[in-house]
Amino acid sequence: MQPWHLYLMALLYISAGIFHFLKPGIYLRIMPPYLPAHKILVYLSGAAEIVLGVGICLPSLQRISLFGLILMLLVFLPVHWHMLAKSRKGRGIPRWALILRIPLQFVLMYWAFSYLCPEF
């Protein structure tokens, strides 16, 4: 049996991934212009969150899924910077929340990393 907080992490990513399919417009609005095929990227990132969220619950896929989550969070960082730099992209989100999203990404990375290397 996995620790309850691993299931919490899985639920977080699975829910976020599902939201990409239910409300793609939210994610399309924040996509940086230098990225191609925005709609495809929104759906792919949602699918990745769902697959990786499920994967961390399966002992045989847990390590690779945790690495995948860390990599995904790193890849998402430019989108968060873009939202912060382009105030119109963060419409309706307070500036303090946009600022806090940056360190939150690192907290989420550390959370995933803590299952890979529990001694940290």
Side-chain angles (χ1 to χ4, degrees):
M1 180 99 178
Q2 304 291 346
W4 67 268
H5 35 86
L6 188 71
Y7 293 114
L8 176 64
M9 178 189 284
L11 181 63
L12 173 91
Y13 287 107
I14 293 167
S15 299
I18 290 169
F19 211 69
H20 280 72
F21 293 94
L22 296 178
K23 299 286 185 177
I26 293 170
Y27 300 96
L28 288 168
R29 188 178 85 215
I30 65 172
M31 293 293 284
Y34 55 81
L35 292 175
H38 289 172
K39 197 168 200 172
I40 292 169
L41 290 176
V42 166
Y43 290 133
L44 282 175
S45 61
E49 286 182 308
I50 293 167
V51 168
L52 294 170
V54 170
I56 62 175
C57 296
L58 305 172
S60 62
L61 297 174
Q62 188 176 64
R63 287 188 65 76
I64 192 72
S65 296
L66 289 165
F67 277 118
L69 285 172
I70 293 167
L71 181 61
M72 182 185 68
L73 290 165
L74 281 170
V75 168
F76 287 176
L77 271 174
V79 173
H80 296 294
W81 281 111
H82 179 72
M83 280 184 70
L84 183 58
K86 306 290 184 188
S87 59
R88 64 181 173 78
K89 295 289 184 180
R91 278 181 268 160
I93 302 172
R95 184 152 178 83
W96 62 266
L98 293 173
I99 291 168
L100 283 179
R101 285 176 65 148
I102 305 297
L104 176 62
Q105 295 300 298
F106 293 100
V107 169
L108 292 172
M109 284 182 240
Y110 178 77
W111 188 14
F113 182 76
S114 71
Y115 295 107
L116 293 170
C117 299
E119 63 275 0
F120 276 95

